[in-house]
Amino acid sequence: LAVLTIFCQPLCAAAPEDLAQLQSLQQNSQKKTLDLSFADLRSYDLRGVDLKGANLQGCILSGMDIRNINFERADLRGADLSGATIENSSFHKTNLEGANFTDASIASTNFEGAILKNAIFDGSALIGVNFRHARREGASFTGISEERTNWR
């Protein structure tokens, strides 16, 4: 029921000033703390962006190309990453409680120390993924394919 509550919150587009800040990050590689909670970011190219510590709670990132992105210590509670292609990214110590990774393709990505409580990875392909010390209480990994995955 808690997961449904997270996904049922109203979604909105990110504020123009936040999106301008995101575009500035892409162009200048500056480190800034962003609040893009509940934003639909599917039309943005985030490859290579440093989102360390960003508030991305409830964001829609489904179907996106997520490569070389640093989400370290970010808040992605309830985020939708279903069907995303995630490669060479870091979710180190990231809060991913209730996040949806259904049918995602995840390779060479670090989830060490991440909070994955009630996260959904059903049907995902995991290659070279590190879940060392990740908190996986209630997380679902039904029907995944995996290769060289570190679960310890």
Side-chain angles (χ1 to χ4, degrees):
L1 187 57
V3 174
L4 288 176
T5 303
I6 290 171
F7 286 113
C8 290
Q9 293 182 18
L11 295 174
C12 61
E17 61 272 10
D18 289 334
L19 293 177
Q21 191 178 17
L22 176 60
Q23 289 169 340
S24 174
L25 269 174
Q26 289 173 293
Q27 295 167 359
N28 303 320
S29 298
Q30 298 171 347
K31 293 184 179 180
K32 294 184 181 183
T33 301
L34 296 175
D35 183 354
L36 296 171
S37 53
F38 301 101
D40 185 342
L41 299 175
R42 290 177 290 184
S43 62
Y44 292 90
D45 182 359
L46 300 176
R47 289 175 295 176
V49 174
D50 187 355
L51 294 171
K52 182 177 182 178
N55 181 0
L56 300 167
Q57 181 180 357
C59 275
I60 300 175
L61 300 161
S62 59
M64 289 187 64
D65 183 355
I66 299 174
R67 297 174 198 250
N68 304 309
I69 300 178
N70 181 14
F71 291 103
E72 183 178 343
R73 297 182 188 273
D75 183 353
L76 279 101
R77 288 175 291 155
D80 182 1
L81 295 104
S82 60
T85 299
I86 303 168
E87 190 175 306
N88 296 319
S89 294
S90 177
F91 293 91
H92 181 253
K93 295 188 176 180
T94 299
N95 189 345
L96 293 158
E97 183 175 347
N100 182 5
F101 289 89
T102 301
D103 296 325
S105 176
I106 307 171
S108 303
T109 294
N110 183 21
F111 289 90
E112 185 170 356
I115 300 169
L116 301 174
K117 182 178 181 183
N118 298 320
I120 304 166
F121 287 84
D122 296 352
S124 292
L126 309 174
I127 301 172
V129 177
N130 180 19
F131 289 109
R132 186 172 187 235
H133 300 300
R135 293 177 40 204
R136 298 179 306 218
E137 306 87 20
S140 179
F141 294 89
T142 303
I144 63 165
S145 62
E146 63 168 307
E147 186 178 315
R148 300 183 320 274
T149 302
N150 181 3
W151 296 99
R152 297 178 189 208

